[in-house]
Amino acid sequence: MTEPSALDNLLTESRSFPPSEEFAAQANATAALQQEADADREAFWAKQAERLSWATKWDQVLDWSGAPFAKWFVGGKLNVAYNCVDRHVESGHGDQVAIHWVGEPGDTRTITYADLKREVSKTANALLSLGLEAGDRVAIYMPMVPEAIFSMLACARLGLVHSVVFGGFSAEALRSRIEDAAAKLVITTDGQYRRGNPVSLKAAVDEAVEKTPTIGNVLVVRRTGGQVDWVDGRDLWWHDVVDAQSENHTPEAFDAEHPLFILYTSGTTGRPKGILHTSGGYLTQASYTHYNVFDLKPDTDVYWCTADIGWVTGHSYIVYGPLSNRATQIVYEGTPNTPHEGRHWEVIQQYKVSIYYTAPTLIRTFMKWGEDIPARYDLSSLRVLGSVGEPINPEAWIWYREHIGAGKTPVVDTWWQTETGAIMVAPLPGVTVAKPGSAMGPLPGIGAKVVDDTGKEVGKGGGGYLVLDKPWPSMLRGVWGDEQRYRETYWARFADQGYYFAGDGAKYDEDGAIWLLGRVDDVMLVSGHNISTTEVESALVSHNRVAEAAVVGATDPTTGQGIVAFVILRGIKEDEDGTALVKELREHVAKEIGPIAKPRQVMVVAELPKTRSGKIMRRLLRDVAENRQIGDVTTLADSTVMDLISSGLNSGKGED
Ligand code: 6R9
C-alpha cells in the first residue's frame, strides 16, 4: 500500500482569465517585477523600502542570523505616521481626500490628508499629555469611526504600540488582551451602531478595566450619545482632551525594528496569541502589496476595503497600506444590510469606488441575496476586485467577477495571515492569468511552496502543506511575551528545513498554481484519504441551490471519518421535498470530485457559525456532528447561531 498523500487533490478547474490588454498596459506591476525579485531578492526589497521616506537609511537589508527572529532594514529609522500622512501634505496633496467616512445611520465625514495630519497631531499631543512614552501599549476598542484611525496613527507617530481589540468582543476578551500586553490606556467610544441600533461599548470597558490595574485612563469618543457610567480621574472625553490640543506635532524617527502593533489572533484553539509587528519591514510590504496587487492609482482611484480595523486586514489594507500610498478610500461604519441589502452597491455608485476588497463570506451572502440587487446600481467605476480571509470557491469567484465586476475586472484572491502582516500569495492583476478559486502564486519577493510531511516540495497536481521558505519584511517578530510559543507554533513543524508553517493545506494544480485548501486542523481522513474541507465545500457551492457550505469530519465506524455537510440553501421553497434535494447534493459532490468525497450526511441550516472576520468555525460544527458539548464560543459573531443549528438538528430536520 502506498502512503496516503498529505492532502488529496480532487477538484479540477479549467476556466482561466487573463488580464485585458487594456488593463495590462496601464498596470503598476508588470512581469519585470518578478524578474527583478529573482535576480536579487534583497536588492528588490531595498527598492521597495525606498518607496517610503526614511530619516536614516539602513546599513543592512536583512539580518536573519537570529532566526526565527528577523531584522529588516537594520539601522534604518523612520516614522510610520509621517509616511502615511505628513509626507503627502508636504508633496502638495493636502487637499486630497484621504477618507470618505460613511456612518451607519447615514452621517458622513470627508477627511483630507491635511485634516488627517491635524487630527493625528492633536491626538498625538493628547496622548503625550496623558504621560505615555514610546514603547507603552495602548488598547483601542472602537467601532469603525475616524477616531480609531487617528488613534492608531497617533500611536505610530509616538512609537506607542497599539493593540486593537475588535469592538464586538466581550469585556473578558478585552480584559485578557489588556492584561497580556500590560496596556496603560484604552481608547473607546460611548457606544456603537449595530444593525441600525445604538449599543453600549463603554460598559464593557468599565468591566474589563476593573481587573486591569495597568490602565491609567480611558479615553472616550462620543459616538452614539448613549448613557455612560463615569469614573472621575480615570475616564476622559475625547472632545475635552483632544480638541484643545495644538495641531502641530513634530514626528520623531524610530528604529526600523521598533514595535508598531500587537494584534491578538485566537487560531482554532488555545489562548489568543499577541502577534507582534514592527515598523520598517511591515510598512514596506504593506505598501508594496497594496500598490501592486490592487494596482492603486492614487490620483484617480477610490479604494474600499470592507474589513474592520479589529482585523489585520483593517490594519494593513485600511490604515497602513492605503495611507502610505496616498489612497482616497471609503471607510464604512455599518453592516452590509443596514438599512438595506444594496448598501455596498449604493456606496460604490455614489463615490465611484474603483477598487473593492472584501471576504468570501460576504460574496456568498450577496449571492444568497440575489444578483438582482447589485444589478440595480451603477457599478461601472469598479476596475479591481479583491478577496481575503478564506478560500474563495470557484463559483463565488465567477459570480463576483460576473455580477459585481461586469464580467471584466480582474479578481485578486489574496492569501495571507495576521502573522504574515501583508499579502503573500496572490495574482498580479495586470500579469497573472487568474483561475477562479486559486490564489495563484507567491508575490515577487516572497517564497512560498507546498510540501509533504517530510518537508519535500510536492509535484504538480500534489497536495500538502503551505510553507514560507524565506523570511519576508512584514513577518511577525514573535508572540508577545512568549518566545517558546512563537518557536513551537510556527517553526517546529519544519525545523529541519527552517520553514515557517502557516497551518494551511494547499495543492499545486497541473500548471503549478497554488490552491489553498483550508486549515490542516480541519482536514478529514476518510478511508485513508486526506480530504480538504475546501474542495468538498466548493463542490457543494457549485450546485445552484447552495449558497454556503461547511463540511467537517465526524467519527465513522467504517471509514474512520465520515463527511458531514452543513448547507445554506438559495431560494427556500415551501413544501419542498428536502430528502430529494439532500440526495441530489450528495450525488452532485460525488459527480464533481469523486465518490470518496460524497458526504455521509447533509444538513440544511439557516446560518453557519463564523468568527467576526467571517471565517467558518468548523470546530463548533464538529462538536455538533459528533453530538458533543459545544466548545468555546467567545469568538463567534452571533452566539445564537449554535443553538439554532443544534435545535434544528435534534429535531432531525434535513438529515439524510
Ligand atoms: C488576512 C487574514 C489567516 C487564515 C489563513 C487561511 C485563511 C486568508 C485566504 C485564506 C484561503 C485566502 N485565509 N486568506 N485562505 N485563501 N485568500 O485572513 O488573516 O485572520 O490571521 O487568518 O485565513 O486559513 O491561515 P487571519
Side-chain angles (χ1 to χ4, degrees), residues 265 311-313 387-392 413-419 439 502-504 516 518-519 613 615:
T265 170
W311 187 23
V312 70
T313 306
S387 171
V388 59
E390 282 188 298
I392 177 166
D413 175 17
T414 63
W415 179 89
W416 59 294
Q417 308 177 300
T418 305
E419 292 86 342
D504 282 331
L516 273 304
R519 302 293 296 169
S613 66
K615 295 189 212 303

Side-chain angles (χ1 to χ4, degrees), residues 613-630:
S613 66
K615 295 189 212 303
I616 297 170
M617 294 178 78
R618 292 180 189 74
R619 169 173 65 79
L620 300 179
L621 294 173
R622 235 167 4 240
D623 291 344
V624 173
E626 304 216 306
N627 289 316
R628 275 196 305 264
Q629 180 82 25
I630 309 248

Side-chain angles (χ1 to χ4, degrees), residues 238-250:
W238 176 284
H239 50 259
D240 289 339
V241 180
V242 178
D243 287 2
Q245 298 293 333
S246 155
E247 290 174 358
N248 300 312
H249 175 267
T250 309

